[in-house]
């Protein structure tokens, strides 16, 4: 099932997307419930409750504005750095130069604030030269937690996956490297485009899909998730060590090689650039930088 959050006639709604991706049928939810996007759906399904009934006619997707499936996550988005071998190599002399040289020791984990999440076609706002001119893209598969838990074992981890969505972990590289942690360089307003919807885990195994990114139509990133250094079960086990994960928590699982900083010379995002991120079996997001 694909669950979308969208705006139709000025109102936020949540609905089920048709198998061909052409239509969305709203769920019978109150306006207050719809403000949380897919969050109430996730919580209901985890609790064993039935889905809300479908209400009203199916709407053409072209007639609605898609939003992030979780427009304002309940807390920070968990993120993983240096999780594809080739990406680890391309930034080993810059972003990762002070990290543990053993790439397989432990995952690098940081967060992005909830307020940086925007929709799959929303504009991303460059902060201006006084703040940063080294804005970069990172195409990523995001895991959405269903059943929560703490100290989750790898062998049980996939039972805790509700589904998947697409994110672009937009990054201010100079700000990222300036501080001793990455949150500030990752959390600028609009720096987490997400969507186009949430695909439930019964339709996709995120351990076997493909992440791609185009900049102005030029393919820059292309990597199978099988190439992750730390797979999804390992990430869930690591992040839940002593920390309770809750339904609706989001884990962005890292980016393949091909980021702008890793090119020679580096090629950072400029005003007017359009970044498209696509993941097989999930969908695509496309955002203009303004």
């Amino acid at each position: 099932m694909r669950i979308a959050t969208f705006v139709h006639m000025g109102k936020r709604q949540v609905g089920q997307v048709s198998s061909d991706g052409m239509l969305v049928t709203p769920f019978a939810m109150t306006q207050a419930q719809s403000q949380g996007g897919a969050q109430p759906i996730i919580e209901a399904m985890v609790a064993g409750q039935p889905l809300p009934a479908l209400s009203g006619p199916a709407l053409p997707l072209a007639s609605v504005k898609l939003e992030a499936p979780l427009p304002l996550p309940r807390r920070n988005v968990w993120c993983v750095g240096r999780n594809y071998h080739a990406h680890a190599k391309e930034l080993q002399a810059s972003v990762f130069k002070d990290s543990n040289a053993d790439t397989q020791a432990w995952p690098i984990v940081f967060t992005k604030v909830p307020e940086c999440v925007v929709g799959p076609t929303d504009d991303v706002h460059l902060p201006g030269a006084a703040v940063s001119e080294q804005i970069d893209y990172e195409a990523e598969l995001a895991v959405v937690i269903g059943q929560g838990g703490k100290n989750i074992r790898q062998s049980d981890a996939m039972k805790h996956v509700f589904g998947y969505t697409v994110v672009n972990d937009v990054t201010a590289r100079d700000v990222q490297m300036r501080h001793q942690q990455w949150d500030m360089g990752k959390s600028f307003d609009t720096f987490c485009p997400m969507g186009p919807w949430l695909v439930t885990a019964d339709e996709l195994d995120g351990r076997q899909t493909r992440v791609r990114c185009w900049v102005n139509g030029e393919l820059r990133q292309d990597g199978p998730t099988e190439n992750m250094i730390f797979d999804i079960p390992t990430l869930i086990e690591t992040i839940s060590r002593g920390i309770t994960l809750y339904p609706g928590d989001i884990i962005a699982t890292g980016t393949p090689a091909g980021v702008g900083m890793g090119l020679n010379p580096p090629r950072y995002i400029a005003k007017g650039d359009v970044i498209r991120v696509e993941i097989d079996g999930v969908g695509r997001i496309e955002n203009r930088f303004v």
Side-chain angles (χ1 to χ4, degrees):
M1 179 171 58
R2 287 180 277 187
I3 302 168
T5 302
F6 62 95
V7 173
H8 182 246
M9 299 182 67
K11 294 183 179 180
R12 176 177 289 168
Q13 299 185 65
V14 183
Q16 181 174 332
V17 180
S18 61
S19 58
D20 62 5
M22 300 297 292
L23 302 170
V24 59
T25 305
F27 290 113
M29 297 170 63
T30 66
Q31 277 296 292
Q33 290 172 326
S34 297
Q35 292 312 299
Q39 184 70 36
I41 303 289
I42 298 170
E43 292 175 356
M45 293 184 71
V46 167
Q49 300 170 1
L51 281 171
L54 295 174
S55 174
L59 303 168
L61 268 179
S63 71
V64 308
K65 183 182 186 300
L66 289 172
E67 297 192 303
L70 294 163
L72 186 63
R74 61 183 297 163
R75 58 180 181 177
N76 284 21
V77 177
W78 296 100
C79 302
V80 180
R82 197 176 67 173
N83 202 29
Y84 287 74
H85 293 282
H87 178 58
K89 184 176 181 180
E90 72 178 349
L91 297 188
Q92 64 184 353
S94 52
V95 171
F96 305 133
K97 63 183 175 62
D98 295 324
S99 301
N100 188 331
D102 181 2
T103 59
Q104 300 186 65
W106 289 96
I108 297 172
V109 181
F110 59 96
T111 67
K112 296 169 80 81
V113 298
E115 292 79 7
C116 69
V117 171
V118 293
T121 61
D122 288 344
D123 289 342
V124 176
H125 294 272
L126 297 170
V131 178
S132 174
E133 291 186 299
Q134 297 184 5
I135 308 303
D136 208 350
Y137 52 86
E138 292 192 2
E140 306 200 15
L141 173 72
V143 172
V144 178
I145 295 296
Q147 182 68 49
K150 181 168 70 173
N151 299 325
I152 298 168
R153 296 178 299 180
Q154 286 187 44
S155 58
D156 296 326
M158 296 305 292
K159 301 174 186 175
H160 293 260
V161 176
F162 181 85
Y164 304 93
T165 191
V166 181
V167 300
N168 184 350
D169 176 19
V170 184
T171 306
R173 292 298 186 192
D174 47 355
V175 178
Q176 178 188 21
M177 296 181 64
R178 179 185 305 154
H179 301 279
Q180 296 304 305
Q181 48 72 42
W182 296 356
D183 295 35
M184 290 186 66
K186 297 281 191 172
S187 291
F188 289 8
D189 293 350
T190 72
F191 268 29
C192 191
M194 180 186 297
W197 39 62
L198 176 57
V199 177
T200 53
D202 58 348
E203 288 200 8
L204 176 74
D205 185 343
R207 295 169 294 184
Q208 296 179 336
T209 187
R210 180 183 180 192
V211 179
R212 289 174 290 172
C213 177
W214 290 261
V215 179
N216 301 325
E218 176 192 358
L219 182 63
R220 295 274 187 90
Q221 295 182 278
D222 188 354
T225 54
E226 292 96 327
N227 285 358
M228 286 182 182
I229 298 172
F230 302 99
D231 64 11
I232 291 170
T234 303
L235 297 179
I236 292 173
E237 180 183 75
T238 300
I239 294 170
S240 71
R241 287 167 63 95
I243 298 173
T244 301
L245 295 180
Y246 293 98
D249 276 349
I250 302 163
I251 302 173
T253 57
T255 197
V259 299
M261 190 180 200
L263 302 176
N264 188 17
R267 297 167 66 183
Y268 295 112
I269 298 171
K271 185 175 182 179
D273 284 350
V274 176
I275 314 295
R276 174 160 60 99
V277 179
E278 186 167 340
I279 298 179
D280 292 352
V282 182
R284 75 179 190 182
I285 62 176
E286 187 170 299
N287 305 88
R288 182 177 299 274
F289 285 69
V290 300

